[in-house]
Amino acid sequence: MAAASGRQTGRPTLEEVAARAGVGRGTVSRVINGSPKVSEQAKAAVEQAVAELGYVPNRAARALAGSRTDAVALVIPETEARLFSEPYFLDIIRGVSGELADADKQLLLTLIRSEQERQRFEQYLAAQRVDGVLLVSVHGDDPLPDQVRALGLPAVLNGRRSREESVAFVDSDNTGAGRTAVAHLAARGRRAVATITGPLDMHVARCRLDGYREGLAEAGLPADEALVANGDFTEEGGRRAMRELLDRRPALDAVFAASDVMAAGARAVLREAGRRVPEDVALVGVDDSAVARHMDPPLTSVRQPIEEMGRAMARLLLQEIASPSAPDDQPRRMLPTELVIRASS
């Protein structure tokens, strides 16, 4: 095929498709990338030009045409030690990476451990080096999701910062998780049911605490704030909280820990205190992770589909990259939870 200079080119270009179709280069890009923001007439003209010229967009051409990088950032504001010690994060990464690999997208894993790293990441985003951002373990006062959106980049959260979350998210039924755990413990005859919460500046932790309180009310059990101890989703946090609970209410007979990792810490303290699980104290966690299966005794846990949450986040982000939603109509997905009963309760 003749180029403008009269020389032969190896393959037709985006500009040649645009010229043949009588539209702009941007319109061709939108048609190729599946955007709905193109008239049927323009779409038909571009598709005809593509067919006549034999235009085949490769990965680099698609990126150039749509100002795309074919890269997605997964942001986790945690240390390497916590990232690799907690199964939750690894399962999320597994789900995200699997979905992005299927879509031929590159995953950029970013840990933010300091304000300096946060500022550096914001500069990286401002340079338009990724097509979108996935954020995990976001606390209630974190402005990063809004800053990402202000840069014009799609963002999807794992969980929410509040019930009024304005950014797209994928979450699980955390209130139901707490309610289900307490109902199970009450059905087993437990009457002094304690809880170890996650950090209460995170919506997920507040929801699980709300579910715990709802479960007590539905079971006709009194609410006793001395049976509530704050943790931080770490094993050491579970240990500290369990010691507090035993000091305050030595006669407690059940504990709902808001994560399996904290339940493992609680289990260690109960053993040190000579309390048998489940004979003296029943124990329930959340996540149904490898930690739950390998505890002694194996831990009853409320399963949330963590890997599927990662996949759902990636799918939602890919949809937003292809066809952005209105700022006031951000998509959200809620996934169910399920109680898995083992020997600890």
Side-chain angles (χ1 to χ4, degrees), residues 18-223:
R20 175 66 66 94
V23 299
R25 187 175 183 275
T27 299
V28 175
S29 172
R30 285 189 287 275
V31 172
I32 290 171
N33 286 284
S35 171
K37 300 178 180 180
V38 181
S39 70
E40 287 300 319
Q41 182 179 359
K43 181 181 177 184
V46 170
E47 289 174 346
Q48 182 177 347
V50 166
E52 291 174 352
L53 295 174
Y55 177 76
V56 179
N58 60 22
R59 180 184 176 113
R62 287 197 308 271
L64 180 62
S67 298
R68 300 278 174 81
T69 65
D70 281 339
V72 166
L74 174 59
V75 181
I76 303 177
E78 302 290 351
T79 63
E80 294 98 329
R82 188 169 179 203
L83 173 68
F84 293 110
S85 66
E86 296 194 20
Y88 182 89
F89 296 123
L90 300 180
D91 286 344
I92 286 286
I93 293 170
R94 186 178 299 112
V96 168
S97 61
E99 195 70 25
L100 293 180
D102 292 344
D104 200 24
K105 297 285 185 181
Q106 181 179 358
L107 175 62
L108 173 68
L109 177 60
T110 303
L111 304 184
I112 295 181
R113 297 150 294 191
S114 66
E115 184 58 32
Q116 182 180 12
E117 289 182 341
R118 175 182 292 272
Q119 292 173 2
R120 188 181 305 127
F121 181 66
E122 290 171 6
Q123 294 168 358
Y124 186 87
L125 293 181
Q128 300 292 315
R129 293 179 178 173
V130 295
D131 294 332
V133 180
L134 300 166
L135 298 108
V136 179
S137 193
V138 177
H139 292 249
D141 60 352
D142 195 332
L144 185 57
D146 299 313
Q147 292 167 346
V148 172
R149 295 301 309 280
L151 291 169
L153 288 169
V156 176
L157 308 184
N158 172 227
R160 293 172 280 174
R161 292 171 294 177
S162 72
R163 294 190 188 279
E164 293 74 38
E165 181 58 70
S166 60
V167 177
F169 66 82
V170 174
D171 204 354
S172 62
D173 182 9
N174 291 295
T175 304
R179 193 166 51 239
T180 298
V182 174
H184 168 71
L185 291 167
R188 294 292 173 97
R190 308 295 171 156
R191 291 295 175 262
V193 181
T195 188
I196 299 174
T197 77
L200 295 180
D201 65 338
M202 297 183 73
H203 186 64
V204 56
R206 297 195 300 274
C207 284
R208 290 176 187 172
L209 178 58
D210 288 345
Y212 161 80
R213 288 172 171 152
E214 290 176 14
L216 291 178
E218 291 173 4
L221 298 177

Side-chain angles (χ1 to χ4, degrees), residues 218-280:
E218 291 173 4
L221 298 177
D224 180 356
E225 288 305 306
L227 288 171
V228 177
N230 294 341
D232 57 4
F233 287 143
T234 69
E235 185 173 351
E236 182 53 38
R239 287 174 181 268
R240 288 194 302 268
M242 192 68 248
R243 292 189 191 103
E244 289 179 24
L245 290 169
L246 288 175
D247 286 343
R248 294 183 207 155
R249 291 290 185 269
L252 63 84
D253 60 8
V255 177
F256 164 56
S259 76
D260 291 346
V261 172
M262 290 195 300
R267 174 68 185 90
V269 170
L270 289 169
R271 177 171 287 169
E272 292 165 3
R275 304 296 181 88
R276 298 169 300 164
V277 174
E279 292 86 353
D280 302 323

Side-chain angles (χ1 to χ4, degrees), residues 273-289:
R275 304 296 181 88
R276 298 169 300 164
V277 174
E279 292 86 353
D280 302 323
V281 180
L283 188 59
V284 176
V286 179
D287 287 338
D288 189 36
S289 64

Side-chain angles (χ1 to χ4, degrees), residues 184 260 263 267 271 277-278 282-285 288-301 340-345:
H184 168 71
D260 291 346
R267 174 68 185 90
R271 177 171 287 169
V277 174
L283 188 59
V284 176
D288 189 36
S289 64
V291 171
R293 296 187 294 274
H294 296 149
M295 275 179 60
D296 177 24
L299 179 69
T300 294
S301 184
V340 179
I341 300 173
R342 297 191 179 92
S344 71
S345 63

